[in-house]
Amino acid sequence: MKKMSIKEVASALQISTATVSYILNGKAKEKRISPELTKKVTAFIEENNFRPNHLAKSLRTGKTNVIGLIVEDIADPFFASVAGHIENVAYENGYKIIYSSTKNDPKKAKELIDTFRDRNVDGYIITPTEGIDSEIKYLIDSKLPVVLFDRNCNDLDVSYVGMNNFESSYQAAKYLISQDYKNIAFVTLDSVQPQMIDRLLGYERAIYENRLVSYVKKVEYRAAKEHLIMAEIEHMLNTEPHIDAIFFATNYLAITGIELLNRLGVKIGEELGMMVFDDNDLFRIHQPSISAIAQPIQEMSQQLINDLLEHMQDTNEYTNRTTVLPAHLIIRDSSSKTRKNA
Amino acid sequence: MKKMSIKEVASALQISTATVSYILNGKAKEKRISPELTKKVTAFIEENNFRPNHLAKSLRTGKTNVIGLIVEDIADPFFASVAGHIENVAYENGYKIIYSSTKNDPKKAKELIDTFRDRNVDGYIITPTEGIDSEIKYLIDSKLPVVLFDRNCNDLDVSYVGMNNFESSYQAAKYLISQDYKNIAFVTLDSVQPQMIDRLLGYERAIYENRLVSYVKKVEYRAAKEHLIMAEIEHMLNTEPHIDAIFFATNYLAITGIELLNRLGVKIGEELGMMVFDDNDLFRIHQPSISAIAQPIQEMSQQLINDLLEHMQDTNEYTNRTTVLPAHLIIRDSSSKTRKNA
DNA sequence: CTGTTAGCGCGTTCAC
DNA sequence: GTGAACGCGCTAACAG
């Protein structure tokens, strides 16, 4: 029951492997192979369940039909969701996906790019870490299809898909201001990632435009433990008691923050407004519900995989495309002093 | 800057490709290649950044160093988390992971197994759907390393890793009973998956042992829309008003249920006890917090990948192993009538 | 002892 | 419609 080779098919049918190969690849007509023979071969292949060896094919053609997906962490629901959407489309187009998580470690990111390169993946979807511009540039220079997402590398001519962090942050902050919050704090990570910086700047723009004061709390990035985050937020609330709203730059920070506030008995919405980046079941169901900026995951994924497929189709004519999608601002109860269900 | 081949290395150094290959694969000593030559070759390879073609190597050796991961849905946080853990260990051992989601469709599951087989993955981690026993059996008969998880295929001699659904469900139900709930409903999916059946049976055992009455609500499985689930639960609560606790068999059902109950203004815990399968941030932070049965994700993943690696190492001596890990019963406020924080 | 030759794995594709 | 080279690395058998 071992695997059959094209040679065996050929010899069983007393024809050459070339003929079988042409038929397999739909070039029967082009190569003027008689319909009868074509039918005979097709039938034989079907009957004996012959499957060409993918490795041999890849070795010869240089195509693996594999897409390399490099994300910060596949276990993160955001990236997992993107992985799911991408897979659907990739699957329909005959591609499989091989993934790896950088854990935001540039060294690992570089290794991953190398490994994927060694394995001849046909295209790359990458969430870049800091300091891997040169590796990405190398891929591009080698004419390999690459699409970045979530974070861009500004200095590179490469396709990118992301969301409008600056604009959505600005709009969200403006909304809080419109709801009469006067001292809005922004809790973020101490990170230089462009998307994080944009979120901060969007907030600050809204603050400055309205002649308000900005309160920015940067939580240390690496292995930020929950209780440390809580301690920092608590400290901030104690030293700046006039703060009347918090805008969290990430999901995780917000969840930790909510836990703290619940424990402190602070009434979210009434006493303290809240806005969060990245939506989540929790924010919808929490009482009061929490307003959030939802990333357009579906749209981003679609764009990502479309761009990549297109790029893989015609490597030469393809021109890079930067897509910045609008986020969805979801207004719930936490961003108004008068709660609907209060 | 195209890729260099072993042949080029050999000719540049005026030696044979065999020599280079032996050195590359650490067989220099075994093959009595002089240390000087070894050093020279190593240096040359380093300098010119030569990387052997993985495809050629795989074609020759039959090993791809790729693990095929077939889950129900990679976008589901549970599977994504498993994927993350597995990746860590796989990576350290030189394996990459190629994934695909079955969406619980047997047809797709079969296709995926075929595809992965075509692509010569070295090992399989599979969340089986119904009706793919024969495909899995085929893999096993072909001596391919397979580990199942989440759901077992009872009739197959194959390694399996999962958690003790029956026991943990039984314990959780018993706990509710011990907290003086008398009419406990069990809300589950209308599914014949073994793990779902075990959860139901565990609940029923606790009910019967205590001479209570079981209320089982099976929600239709396919594409269960939120509002339909809500309608079903609401109907149940109306027709069986004496129900004083709900035990949800899945995370998703519970989230939907909580949303409904909050809307109805039912006081979870006091008026209606609650227990849920699969933990989640939401359950921890919800007020009142929701008791849950947490899957031992870390432990399961570790066991999964260990078993598979072992199996891939010595295909012959390996004997199948069934691992059923205990779940973590996390008692919070929703499972007592007297809430701690009430 | 050191290192080489040559065939293999298997599908693709050019030249006839 | 075919023969044979080719993509590239591995390794048993062999020569010096």
Side-chain angles (χ1 to χ4, degrees):
Chain A
M1 204 66 146
K2 69 176 72 110
K3 265 200 224 158
M4 181 174 259
S5 77
I6 198 171
K7 203 184 255 171
E8 291 174 273
V9 174
S11 76
L13 260 44
Q14 308 268 44
I15 54 178
S16 82
T17 61
T19 309
V20 180
S21 176
Y22 288 133
I23 293 172
L24 274 172
N25 294 300
K27 295 186 183 163
K29 282 214 178 95
E30 188 186 323
K31 293 293 171 182
R32 296 148 203 260
I33 293 165
S34 71
E36 302 84 53
L37 183 54
T38 303
K39 203 163 293 175
K40 196 163 91 182
V41 173
T42 315
F44 183 89
I45 285 171
E46 180 68 26
E47 233 171 83
N48 298 64
N49 196 30
F50 162 70
R51 306 306 224 65
N53 182 317
H54 217 278
L55 290 170
K57 184 169 185 166
S58 294
L59 175 59
R60 183 68 238 216
T61 62
K63 293 275 154 224
T64 51
N65 277 276
V66 170
I67 292 170
L69 174 66
I70 298 179
V71 293
E72 179 174 334
D73 188 355
I74 192 70
D76 180 304
F78 169 65
F79 292 115
S81 180
V82 171
H85 281 115
I86 286 174
E87 184 212 337
N88 288 154
V89 184
Y91 180 77
E92 284 162 17
N93 288 272
Y95 286 91
K96 301 262 71 119
I97 296 175
I98 191 166
Y99 70 85
S100 247
S101 310
T102 65
K103 304 288 169 110
N104 218 35
D105 172 0
K107 186 154 150 286
K108 193 172 175 203
K110 286 174 193 172
E111 276 178 36
L112 291 178
I113 291 180
D114 275 0
T115 314
F116 282 0
R117 196 165 215 282
D118 276 357
R119 287 170 180 266
N120 286 72
V121 306
D122 291 344
Y124 300 76
I125 293 176
I126 303 178
T127 307
T129 63
E130 294 167 37
I132 55 161
D133 290 31
S134 65
E135 271 71 22
I136 292 173
K137 186 171 181 332
Y138 187 53
L139 293 179
I140 300 164
D141 290 346
S142 311
K143 305 275 183 210
L144 292 167
V146 179
V147 184
L148 304 184
F149 90 113
D150 198 39
R151 305 148 205 188
N152 205 347
C153 287
N154 296 311
D155 311 327
L156 254 36
D157 182 26
V158 53
S159 279
Y160 165 76
V161 176
M163 71 163 221
N164 195 330
N165 285 288
F166 179 84
E167 178 68 18
S168 49
S169 182
Y170 170 66
Q171 293 297 347
K174 263 203 344 195
Y175 182 80
L176 283 174
I177 294 167
S178 78
Q179 295 300 303
D180 218 30
Y181 293 103
K182 304 284 187 209
N183 294 283
I184 303 168
F186 190 76
V187 176
T188 183
L189 295 170
D190 184 12
S191 159
V192 299
Q193 291 172 14
Q195 85 278 21
M196 297 312 291
I197 291 180
D198 280 356
R199 291 176 188 184
L200 174 56
L201 292 177
Y203 155 82
E204 289 191 323
R205 178 175 171 192
I207 294 295
Y208 297 155
E209 274 186 2
N210 288 278
R211 300 183 189 286
L212 295 175
V213 182
S214 83
Y215 303 92
V216 177
K217 168 58 93 188
K218 293 187 180 179
V219 174
E220 217 206 315
Y221 188 55
R222 296 242 151 256
K225 299 286 174 217
E226 283 198 6
H227 65 273
L228 291 178
I229 297 175
M230 290 191 188
E232 293 223 46
I233 296 173
E234 193 165 1
H235 181 256
M236 177 184 80
L237 291 174
N238 286 335
T239 50
E240 309 277 7
H242 38 293
I243 286 175
D244 58 5
I246 302 184
F247 186 173
F248 289 99
T250 83
N251 197 301
Y252 177 62
L253 290 172
I255 291 174
T256 311
I258 292 171
E259 215 170 348
L260 170 71
L261 294 171
N262 282 344
R263 205 157 64 201
L264 296 177
V266 174
K267 285 191 183 138
I268 296 172
E270 298 170 80
E271 287 176 30
L272 190 72
M274 187 175 295
M275 178 65 72
V276 181
F277 254 97
D278 271 11
D279 199 21
N280 186 307
D281 281 334
L282 196 163
F283 303 145
R284 193 179 77 245
I285 291 173
H286 190 270
Q287 292 189 304
S289 57
I290 313 286
S291 298
I293 297 159
Q295 302 218 38
I297 294 184
Q298 161 84 48
E299 297 90 322
M300 290 200 300
S301 309
Q302 191 67 45
Q303 184 72 34
L304 260 180
I305 187 71
N306 282 352
D307 279 359
L308 188 66
L309 286 171
E310 202 176 309
H311 195 154
M312 291 191 298
Q313 244 100 73
D314 25 54
T315 313
N316 295 318
E317 298 143 49
Y318 179 84
T319 52
N320 290 319
R321 195 168 15 240
T322 292
T323 309
V324 176
L325 295 162
H328 308 300
L329 180 59
I330 303 179
I331 301 298
R332 298 204 181 94
D333 298 339
S334 70
S335 50
S336 320
K337 293 187 178 180
T338 50
R339 284 160 55 188
K340 287 168 209 140
N341 65 345
Chain B
M1 204 66 147
K2 69 176 71 110
K3 267 200 222 158
M4 180 175 261
S5 76
I6 197 170
K7 204 184 256 172
E8 290 174 274
V9 174
S11 76
L13 260 43
Q14 309 267 42
I15 54 176
S16 80
T17 61
T19 309
V20 180
S21 176
Y22 288 134
I23 293 172
L24 274 171
N25 295 299
K27 296 188 182 162
K29 284 219 178 88
E30 188 186 322
K31 293 293 171 182
R32 299 149 207 255
I33 293 165
S34 68
E36 302 83 56
L37 183 54
T38 303
K39 204 163 291 173
K40 195 163 92 183
V41 173
T42 315
F44 183 89
I45 286 172
E46 180 68 26
E47 231 172 86
N48 297 64
N49 197 27
F50 162 69
R51 307 306 224 63
N53 182 316
H54 217 280
L55 290 170
K57 186 170 183 168
S58 293
L59 176 59
R60 184 66 240 223
T61 62
K63 293 275 153 223
T64 51
N65 277 277
V66 170
I67 292 170
L69 174 66
I70 299 180
V71 293
E72 179 174 334
D73 188 356
I74 193 69
D76 179 305
F78 168 65
F79 292 115
S81 180
V82 171
H85 281 116
I86 285 173
E87 184 212 339
N88 287 154
V89 184
Y91 180 77
E92 284 162 17
N93 288 273
Y95 287 91
K96 302 261 70 115
I97 297 175
I98 190 166
Y99 71 84
S100 246
S101 309
T102 64
K103 304 289 171 109
N104 217 35
D105 172 0
K107 185 152 151 289
K108 193 171 176 204
K110 286 175 192 171
E111 275 178 38
L112 291 178
I113 291 180
D114 275 0
T115 314
F116 282 180
R117 194 165 218 282
D118 277 355
R119 287 169 180 266
N120 287 70
V121 306
D122 291 344
Y124 300 76
I125 293 177
I126 304 177
T127 307
T129 63
E130 294 167 37
I132 55 160
D133 289 31
S134 65
E135 271 71 20
I136 292 174
K137 186 170 179 336
Y138 188 52
L139 293 179
I140 299 165
D141 289 346
S142 312
K143 304 274 180 210
L144 292 167
V146 179
V147 183
L148 304 185
F149 91 111
D150 198 39
R151 306 151 205 184
N152 204 346
C153 287
N154 296 311
D155 310 328
L156 253 37
D157 183 25
V158 53
S159 279
Y160 165 77
V161 175
M163 72 164 218
N164 195 329
N165 285 289
F166 178 84
E167 178 67 17
S168 49
S169 182
Y170 171 64
Q171 293 296 346
K174 261 200 348 191
Y175 181 81
L176 284 174
I177 294 168
S178 78
Q179 296 300 304
D180 218 31
Y181 292 104
K182 305 285 188 207
N183 294 283
I184 303 168
F186 190 77
V187 176
T188 183
L189 295 171
D190 184 12
S191 158
V192 299
Q193 292 172 14
Q195 85 278 20
M196 298 312 292
I197 291 180
D198 280 355
R199 291 176 186 184
L200 174 56
L201 292 178
Y203 155 82
E204 289 192 324
R205 177 173 170 194
I207 294 295
Y208 297 156
E209 274 185 2
N210 288 277
R211 300 183 189 285
L212 296 174
V213 182
S214 82
Y215 302 92
V216 177
K217 169 58 96 186
K218 293 187 180 180
V219 174
E220 216 206 314
Y221 189 54
R222 297 238 152 260
K225 299 285 173 221
E226 283 197 6
H227 65 273
L228 291 178
I229 297 175
M230 290 191 187
E232 293 223 44
I233 296 173
E234 192 165 2
H235 181 254
M236 178 184 78
L237 292 173
N238 286 335
T239 50
E240 310 277 5
H242 39 293
I243 285 174
D244 57 5
I246 302 185
F247 186 172
F248 288 100
T250 83
N251 197 301
Y252 176 61
L253 289 172
I255 292 174
T256 312
I258 292 170
E259 214 170 349
L260 171 71
L261 294 171
N262 282 344
R263 204 157 66 201
L264 297 178
V266 174
K267 285 190 183 139
I268 295 172
E270 298 170 81
E271 287 175 31
L272 190 71
M274 188 176 293
M275 177 65 71
V276 180
F277 255 96
D278 271 13
D279 198 21
N280 188 306
D281 280 335
L282 196 161
F283 303 146
R284 194 180 76 246
I285 291 173
H286 190 270
Q287 291 189 305
S289 57
I290 313 285
S291 298
I293 298 159
Q295 302 219 37
I297 293 185
Q298 161 84 49
E299 297 91 322
M300 290 199 301
S301 308
Q302 191 67 46
Q303 184 72 35
L304 260 179
I305 187 70
N306 282 351
D307 280 359
L308 188 65
L309 286 171
E310 203 175 308
H311 196 154
M312 292 191 299
Q313 244 98 71
D314 25 55
T315 313
N316 295 318
E317 297 142 48
Y318 179 84
T319 50
N320 289 319
R321 199 168 12 242
T322 294
T323 309
V324 177
L325 294 162
H328 308 301
L329 180 60
I330 303 178
I331 301 298
R332 298 203 181 95
D333 299 338
S334 70
S335 51
S336 319
K337 293 187 176 180
T338 51
R339 284 159 56 186
K340 289 168 210 141
N341 66 344

